[in-house]
Amino acid sequence: MTSATRGNLFILSAPSGAGKSSLIKALLDKHQDIKVSVSHTTRNPRPGEENGVHYHFVSVEEFKQLIDKGDFFEWAQVFENYYGTSKQAIETQLNAGIDVFLDIDWQGARQVRELMPEVKTIFILPPSTAELEKRLNGRGQDSQEVIAGRMAEAKSESSHYNEFDYLLVNDDFDTALAELEHIVIAARLELKAQQQRQQGLIEDLLK
Ligand SMILES: Nc1nc2c(ncn2[C@@H]2O[C@H](COP(=O)(O)OP(=O)(O)O)[C@@H](O)[C@H]2O)c(=O)[nH]1
Ligand SMILES: [Mg+2]
């Protein structure tokens, strides 16, 4: 058996309300050979969120210990809470040839770009301010103030769109999903990876 070609690392960032979680979920459902890294966070689980599945939920104290131990590949404070990607979570999978997605913010993306310049980074925009407001409105139970706060956070995250390699607009979900898949497929076809994967064929054709 030949050693596996190393997997590609992707970052998906977006303001809350752009539909990032749904896109990642659909991508993973369709492609069993893609994984998303499970981050650590100090925020409280929301209803339906499971520890170890959506996030590893930890206390601020535990999070700081992990920082001190050097366990994080990247970490950031995102608005009120801490979030981080553990090194171990991604290295094993990349080495096994698995493509890994990080659902992280622009601050994390900056750190990963420094450490792994070959990372492919993707930013998702919502189709309009009106649609974003509709999506952030939730069930319409939140106050105008809460919604205005979410809109301000979304604007602040969106202002970093130009630091990314790819820019998607999530207007039609299926279109955005197909675009995301194309990015993954194009990355798999890059020369360096293909030279390794197709080594036997290339040697045979050129001998
Ligand atoms: N830097 C960094 N950001 C993260 C990490 N995990 C999640 N985030 C980001 O933190 C933000 C808040 O995530 P979350 O609490 O799930 O709320 P959401 O806005 O509903 O997705 C999003 O922009 C996530 O991409 C991480 O490990 N590192
Ligand atoms: Mg999320």
Side-chain angles (χ1 to χ4, degrees), residues 122-140:
I122 306 156
F123 198 88
I124 305 173
L125 292 174
S128 66
T129 304
E131 178 60 25
L132 179 67
E133 193 151 11
K134 209 166 103 190
R135 292 180 190 175
L136 292 183
N137 199 347
R139 296 197 197 95

Side-chain angles (χ1 to χ4, degrees), residues 12-17 20-21 37-41 43 46 49 55 74-79 81 83-86 103-109 111 157:
L12 201 56
S13 294
S16 182
K20 179 179 51 172
S21 310
S37 148
V38 180
S39 294
H40 285 70
T41 183
R43 84 151 160 76
R46 296 175 189 149
E49 282 185 334
Y55 281 105
E74 64 74 33
W75 66 270
Q77 189 180 345
V78 185
F79 306 112
N81 300 292
Y83 294 86
T85 308
S86 76
D103 167 350
I104 64 177
D105 83 325
W106 65 272
Q107 304 174 85
Q111 297 170 51
E157 179 77 25

Side-chain angles (χ1 to χ4, degrees), residues 19 25-26 35 75-76 80-81 92 107 111 134 156 173 181:
K25 190 179 176 301
K35 300 272 186 251
W75 66 270
E80 307 288 275
N81 300 292
T92 316
Q107 304 174 85
Q111 297 170 51
K134 209 166 103 190
S156 138
F173 185 85
E181 289 180 273

